[in-house]
Amino acid sequence: MWESPRMAERMTYLLVDGENIDATLGTSILGRRPRPEERPRWDRLLEWAERAFDQDVTGLFFLAASTEMPTSFVQALLAIGFKPIPLSGEGKIVDIAIQRTAEALVHREADVVLVSHDGDFVDQVSALCDGSRQVGVIGFTEFVNSQFRNLPGLRIFDLEYDIAAFNTSLPRVRIIPIDEFDPFDFL
């Protein structure tokens, strides 16, 4: 966990690319569309960020809402403390919005955590890694774009193992550090 003194003016921004996480979970891990009980518990991300940074957190959840507002999902996000940002337009609208938000945050005294695997954000995250803030990426570590690993000061967190955002274990195959290996997980 990161340590940071509580400062009223300083904020942590949690930028969530939920579609990217959902697509990776479905396509690369489960091999099918995730059932509701298999999806991340998004409230745990907010709770983790508040503990890790010891300061207020603004959770921005970006989602494509081309023609219809996903009302029940938006209401659920609001209830747990996120600010949903439903977007419409052509192209990669969620990526464009997250890129613009990250670019705007370069000029704020704020810590930033991106929840995505997407390499489309490497330039913006790189600009945030200026030494004046804590910057992180959360995802399934084996699927996080490799370019993030070269950014100075960037911390990468696993959505399942570090954040504990799931109620059940996922069927993942990953490299296991020997200190974390438990043979009973495989017996």
Side-chain angles (χ1 to χ4, degrees):
M1 236 190 260
W2 292 338
E3 298 297 327
S4 175
R6 184 171 284 281
M7 295 177 270
E9 68 278 353
R10 190 135 180 131
M11 172 79 60
T12 298
Y13 288 91
L14 187 63
L15 311 179
V16 180
D17 182 356
E19 292 175 354
N20 176 270
I21 298 298
D22 201 54
T24 303
L25 176 61
T27 304
S28 302
I29 296 174
L30 298 173
R32 61 176 164 70
R33 184 181 174 95
R35 293 186 298 267
E37 67 273 12
E38 295 171 319
R39 288 197 161 91
R41 308 286 69 126
W42 297 111
D43 55 323
R44 293 182 190 168
L45 271 85
L46 288 172
E47 293 164 4
W48 173 86
E50 286 178 359
R51 283 192 316 272
F53 291 88
D54 193 29
Q55 62 193 13
D56 291 335
V57 174
T58 297
L60 304 176
F61 200 109
F62 299 84
L63 57 144
S66 305
T67 58
E68 196 173 303
M69 178 71 75
T71 306
S72 60
F73 187 58
V74 166
Q75 289 172 343
L77 289 171
L78 287 167
I80 60 175
F82 273 99
K83 290 183 179 180
I85 304 175
L87 301 158
S88 69
E90 297 296 318
K92 297 171 103 178
I93 56 176
V94 168
D95 288 7
I96 292 166
I98 291 174
Q99 289 167 336
R100 289 180 185 171
T101 303
E103 289 165 359
L105 288 171
V106 167
H107 306 292
R108 285 195 179 216
E109 288 187 26
D111 300 315
V112 181
V113 180
L114 171 68
V115 184
S116 182
H117 306 99
D118 199 336
D120 288 345
F121 307 120
V122 169
D123 290 342
Q124 290 76 22
V125 171
S126 178
L128 289 165
C129 291
D130 61 4
S132 71
R133 72 189 86 239
Q134 297 179 86
V135 183
V137 169
I138 296 174
F140 301 110
T141 53
E142 66 270 30
F143 297 108
V144 170
N145 187 286
S146 63
Q147 294 179 58
F148 284 120
R149 299 184 194 290
N150 300 321
L151 299 181
L154 179 72
R155 304 265 317 266
I156 298 175
F157 300 95
D158 190 274
L159 191 58
E160 180 179 14
Y161 301 117
D162 297 322
I163 311 302
F166 295 88
N167 287 337
T168 60
S169 290
L170 298 173
R172 293 168 66 188
V173 177
R174 68 178 182 108
I175 298 171
I176 304 166
I178 192 63
D179 294 341
E180 296 174 19
F181 174 72
D182 182 350
F184 292 105
D185 291 342
F186 300 94
L187 301 178

